[in-house]
Amino acid sequence: MPGDTSKNSRPRSRVLVIGFAGHQGKEYLPLLRETADVVGGVDPAPTAPAVAAAWGFPHYRTLGEALEKADFDAALVTVPHSEHFPVCTKLLTHGIHVIKEKPFAVTEQEARQLIHLAQRADRSVFTLLQRNFNPVFRFARENLARIGEPYWFSYDYHFNLARPTAGWRASREQAMGGVLLDMGYHLMDVLSGMFPEPARVHSAFVHHYQEMRDRRLEDLVSLMCSYPSTGLVGSLRISRHHYEKTEHLCVLGTEGALNVAPGAAVLHSVGGPPLERHTWEGPKTDTVRSMITHHLGHLDDRAYRQDHFRRQLAVVRTIDRIYRDRSRERNELADRCA
Ligand SMILES: NC(=O)c1ccc[n+]([C@@H]2O[C@H](COP(=O)([O-])OP(=O)(O)OC[C@H]3O[C@@H](n4cnc5c(N)ncnc54)[C@H](O)[C@@H]3O)[C@@H](O)[C@H]2O)c1
């Protein structure tokens, strides 16, 4: 169970860090070293050799070089989206467990290929999704049944970035999607821990900046999800350039409501009176530590691995379907205008 690290009976893993000189890589390094031996790092960034020297591990320019020279049983992957699939397939082909940043994969086809390779090699591919290890989100998941039959949710997640998106996230080839893939992956994963896969999703893609429109990288996405088998309907809005940074999930059920924001989840009875409030003030490093420790401790746990694959495949499939629907609509419109 996410958050439970008691099954960590494995010997200390030897881990290669890939993309360690970037934002997420640097955040994970100190916590990873608490429970694993970092045997080396791969990152082509000019700053990477100095970062590796400061942490005292060998720097490799390519994954091929690391595979030749270093001895490791797992890799922590924190690279731009376009690099995930080639890096992960190479690792699995060499029998290495993968602990990676989201997305698990960009397309359903790639997700299936990864799962196939992992199963053939008897190795894990675990996606780092912090909300699964956050006590507030755990409380929400575990207490959802108390609001009766859910019939509506709304989920908002916004950044208030004042400048246009830069770096690899502004490149279609490297980002492979806009806010839906980048920020929305987290939300889709939270929802997939609470509800089945949505049968239908209607989307609106919106752009704040013309260059992002030209590159077909949405700055804002609005989704309407329906689940005809249960009668549930839900709406999401995700954006980078909102007036405030915020995250808020509200679920309405036949017997109450569940309200989740970072730091607090509140159960309400019908009409509003709060029934129970669960708060957690951090620090974020506690969540990240338990997530990394948990995954390292479950690398050989085949049942946990299968659950993880099932859930990530559902998340990837939902996002992939939304992008493919958008692309089909765009092509149909272009045909009509031609
Ligand atoms: N969970 C979160 O809240 C969160 C936040 C930020 C980023 N991310 C995810 O983390 C990943 C990295 O994002 P970031 O913001 O850290 O990016 P970043 O640009 O800061 O870091 C990426 C690093 O990967 C390196 N790199 C590029 N290609 C490589 C390759 N083939 N082999 C090895 N290294 C390579 C780059 O040189 C860079 O140092 C993405 O998947 C992103 O979605 C998650």
Side-chain angles (χ1 to χ4, degrees), residues 18-19 21-25 28 42-45 78-81 83-84 87 101-103 128 130 168-169 182 186:
I18 306 178
H23 173 85
Q24 280 309 111
Y28 293 148
V42 182
D43 196 312
T78 55
V79 294
H81 295 167
E83 299 301 308
H84 281 232
V87 165
E101 256 304 334
K102 50 82 189 165
L128 295 161
Q130 295 177 26
W168 61 264
R169 285 182 177 80
D182 196 26
H186 294 288

Side-chain angles (χ1 to χ4, degrees), residues 31 38 127 278:
L31 299 165
V38 175
T127 319
H278 188 88

Side-chain angles (χ1 to χ4, degrees), residues 16 20 39-44 58-63 65-66 69-70:
L16 181 77
F20 67 91
V39 302
V42 182
D43 196 312
H59 170 244
Y60 302 106
R61 286 175 51 77
T62 64
L63 176 54
E65 188 189 351
K69 296 182 179 163

Side-chain angles (χ1 to χ4, degrees), residues 10 73 91-98 114-126 298-303 305-306 309:
R10 229 179 163 264
D73 41 83
L91 289 166
L92 289 172
T93 306
H94 285 79
I96 308 293
H97 290 291
V98 178
L114 270 192
I115 293 170
H116 174 74
L117 278 178
Q119 279 168 338
R120 206 170 63 184
D122 190 19
R123 292 295 179 269
S124 289
V125 182
F126 291 145
H298 287 75
L299 288 174
D300 298 320
D301 183 339
R302 295 193 182 111
R305 183 188 298 165
Q306 284 310 118
F309 287 162

